[in-house]
Amino acid sequence: MFQSAFRTIYVASNTAVCRGISLCFRHYCKKNPTKLRISEAVTGAEVGANVTVQGWVRSVRPQKANLFLHVNDGSSLQSLQVVASSELNHPLLTFGSAVEVTGVLKKSPNRKQPVELEAEKIHVVGECNPVDFPFKIKERHSLEYIRQFPHLRCRTNASSSLLRIRSEATAAIHSYFKENGFVQIHTPVITSNDCEGAGELFQVEPSGPENAEEENFFSVPTFLTVSGQLHLEVMSGAFSRVYTFGPTFRAENSQSRRHLAEFYMVEAEVSFTQSIEDLTKVMEDMFRATTEQVLAQCEEDVDLFHKHVSPGHRATVDSMMKKKFPVITYSEAIDILNRSSQKFAFPTDWGCDLQTEHEKYLVKHCGNVPVFVTDYPYDLKPFYARDNRDGPAHTAAAVDLLVPGVGELCGGSLREERLGLLTTRLEEAGLADTYSWYLDLRRFGSVPHGGFGMGFERYLQCILGVDNIKDVIPFPRFSNSCLL
Ligand code: 4AD
């Protein structure tokens, strides 16, 4: 029954669909239907036009005289209602099948939608056996369920809304940086350095036995980048304001709801900084500008999340957008945690790294809005962080942005621009030779500078209220899983 031999074109015997349109125009229209995206068709601007739409069937309702379909092509959350004579019904017209429909756009009698397409012709382009198809008509599948089908989940409303939002947020981030005079740099994916020094590297080597003899393809060990920061620092020495936005890789053996082995990071680097506020301002402005654009351009898609995935989250987003992000020091954060009546699983002594449970508590404590934590213990931060030289409670000029529901969203710092201090730190870590080029940046026209990185998937989790990071990236990669 579901063989392609059955695919065919059904032409309505009833041509009454063009009633009221002059013969001559009808002839022209029929010959030249305009191809419309569903997002264009549903606006109602083209009422009366003879059009062709293409997409996938989201619902099929055969009635005695008429057949009702909803067709979606991914251009918007809305589907277009198609009304056809029941003569056009066919067993291959099923939920999930791909169709091309030609007909006339009419004002809809139903107030839910401004227009519907009165079909003359329905062509099943690709059939879909509804019994085998993992998604069922009228069912609202959970994010956990659809996650099992990374090759098909983009056909669901939740996943397609998410991907449109992701696309808009990407554009918004690029707009923000463009409007603020940043130059985009394509930092390399393959690198010979470990920027964060945390050892969470994926090594890069050619595959195949013919390469087994070779020591290293690049003559040095190479890795997938954990951060484009060091390459951005190179460029900030010529362009003052630079950014990069690309895939980043960490071999973290984690199954957590906020870690991936491959994630996208937005990183910016700014020269001639005077204080950490020069960085917090960029982080906050970028967050606001991006979120404003997403909320304005993807209203329906965002609503789907705020209504069905994380009810109540819209109020949190509105409050984030209204209030200025507070700033506390790490030492103040430790005081807040130690004064709390909550029992934490991890220690909260000065010098400890903040854990997710601490970050979430601090966000709640500060009014459930994003909060900057600055001046972390010097020993917790990588070699590049600027020494505050502030005595026994020795700190570095580093900053994290913690956000509701997620915890750490951004990590950044002023960079150590003083040649002497940086040389000593690299020598102590045994890295002075590896980073001789980095020291050169301090030898030739060194300026105070700093930057940060924002996890793009965590940003999406934060504004949409999505609990699991695997649900905000098209093809999640994490330990023991690399589907497709
Ligand atoms: O705090 P991180 O490690 O900072 C850096 O890599 C700096 N070199 C960035 C810079 O200053 N240019 O990572 C930045 C952000 C984190 O705050 C987090 O949001 C995200 O990247 N992140 C991850 N997101 C998903 N999965 C992971 N495994 C992540 N690790 C970090």
Side-chain angles (χ1 to χ4, degrees), residues 110-183:
N110 185 338
R111 271 199 277 145
K112 272 195 192 158
Q113 70 242 340
V115 277
E116 59 193 25
L117 181 60
E118 222 172 73
E120 285 175 50
K121 206 159 90 179
I122 301 177
H123 173 200
V124 178
V125 180
E127 62 207 54
C128 174
N129 183 336
V131 178
D132 296 338
F133 193 48
F135 310 126
K136 302 298 167 208
I137 195 161
K138 285 195 179 148
E139 248 179 72
R140 193 178 288 284
H141 301 287
S142 71
L143 294 181
E144 288 76 16
Y145 176 77
I146 66 172
R147 203 187 298 146
Q148 301 171 77
F149 311 98
H151 56 309
L152 293 171
R153 71 173 169 170
C154 54
R155 309 273 186 89
T156 64
N157 278 345
S159 184
S160 66
S161 282
L162 179 277
L163 293 171
R164 275 188 299 273
I165 294 167
R166 195 178 156 108
S167 170
E168 187 64 37
T170 303
I173 284 166
H174 286 297
S175 299
Y176 169 80
F177 283 117
K178 188 169 163 49
E179 279 159 22
N180 287 279
F182 284 74
V183 174

Side-chain angles (χ1 to χ4, degrees), residues 195-196 226-227 229 250 252 258-260 263 265 267-269 384 408-413 415 451-455 458 469:
C195 172
E196 294 305 291
V226 293
S227 162
Q229 176 193 324
R250 301 213 176 163
E252 279 173 299
R258 50 175 225 159
H259 289 92
L260 290 167
F263 62 99
M265 195 178 351
E267 295 182 86
E269 202 66 29
Y384 54 69
E408 183 193 328
L409 173 67
C410 301
S413 71
R415 318 305 189 192
F452 67 89
M454 178 181 86
R458 290 192 189 176
I469 196 165

Side-chain angles (χ1 to χ4, degrees), residues 63-297:
Q63 290 186 351
K64 218 171 184 191
N66 288 318
L67 165 74
F68 292 90
L69 301 178
H70 276 102
V71 179
N72 187 285
D73 65 356
S75 60
S76 90
L77 178 61
Q78 282 186 47
S79 298
L80 177 65
Q81 172 153 290
V82 173
V83 188
S85 146
S86 53
E87 289 165 40
L88 295 191
N89 199 359
H90 189 277
L92 289 185
L93 263 179
T94 58
F95 176 64
S97 60
V99 292
E100 179 173 284
V101 186
T102 299
V104 178
L105 279 174
K106 292 268 170 95
K107 212 163 174 289
S108 170
N110 185 338
R111 271 199 277 145
K112 272 195 192 158
Q113 70 242 340
V115 277
E116 59 193 25
L117 181 60
E118 222 172 73
E120 285 175 50
K121 206 159 90 179
I122 301 177
H123 173 200
V124 178
V125 180
E127 62 207 54
C128 174
N129 183 336
V131 178
D132 296 338
F133 193 48
F135 310 126
K136 302 298 167 208
I137 195 161
K138 285 195 179 148
E139 248 179 72
R140 193 178 288 284
H141 301 287
S142 71
L143 294 181
E144 288 76 16
Y145 176 77
I146 66 172
R147 203 187 298 146
Q148 301 171 77
F149 311 98
H151 56 309
L152 293 171
R153 71 173 169 170
C154 54
R155 309 273 186 89
T156 64
N157 278 345
S159 184
S160 66
S161 282
L162 179 277
L163 293 171
R164 275 188 299 273
I165 294 167
R166 195 178 156 108
S167 170
E168 187 64 37
T170 303
I173 284 166
H174 286 297
S175 299
Y176 169 80
F177 283 117
K178 188 169 163 49
E179 279 159 22
N180 287 279
F182 284 74
V183 174
Q184 184 188 0
I185 303 292
H186 292 122
T187 49
V189 168
I190 299 176
T191 174
S192 54
N193 69 63
D194 174 11
C195 172
E196 294 305 291
E200 295 158 340
L201 298 162
F202 287 105
Q203 188 144 2
V204 177
E205 283 302 333
S207 67
E210 67 276 18
N211 295 304
E213 293 300 300
E214 278 187 41
E215 267 271 290
N216 290 116
F217 181 86
F218 295 102
S219 301
V220 289
T222 47
F223 314 98
L224 295 179
T225 184
V226 293
S227 162
Q229 176 193 324
L230 303 186
H231 300 97
L232 277 190
E233 282 192 66
V234 169
M235 297 300 175
S236 73
F239 298 100
S240 309
R241 294 177 190 186
V242 287
Y243 80 102
T244 190
F245 183 1
T248 311
F249 308 86
R250 301 213 176 163
E252 279 173 299
N253 200 0
S254 166
Q255 294 289 331
S256 92
R257 289 161 185 266
R258 50 175 225 159
H259 289 92
L260 290 167
E262 176 181 298
F263 62 99
Y264 274 68
M265 195 178 351
V266 181
E267 295 182 86
E269 202 66 29
V270 183
S271 286
F272 303 103
T273 45
Q274 298 190 337
S275 69
I276 208 111
E277 280 94 72
D278 291 334
L279 301 181
T280 55
K281 181 167 178 359
V282 179
M283 291 187 216
E284 184 164 347
D285 287 353
M286 179 189 71
F287 182 96
R288 287 186 192 286
T290 306
T291 309
E292 253 165 39
Q293 184 169 326
V294 167
L295 295 179
Q297 298 300 318

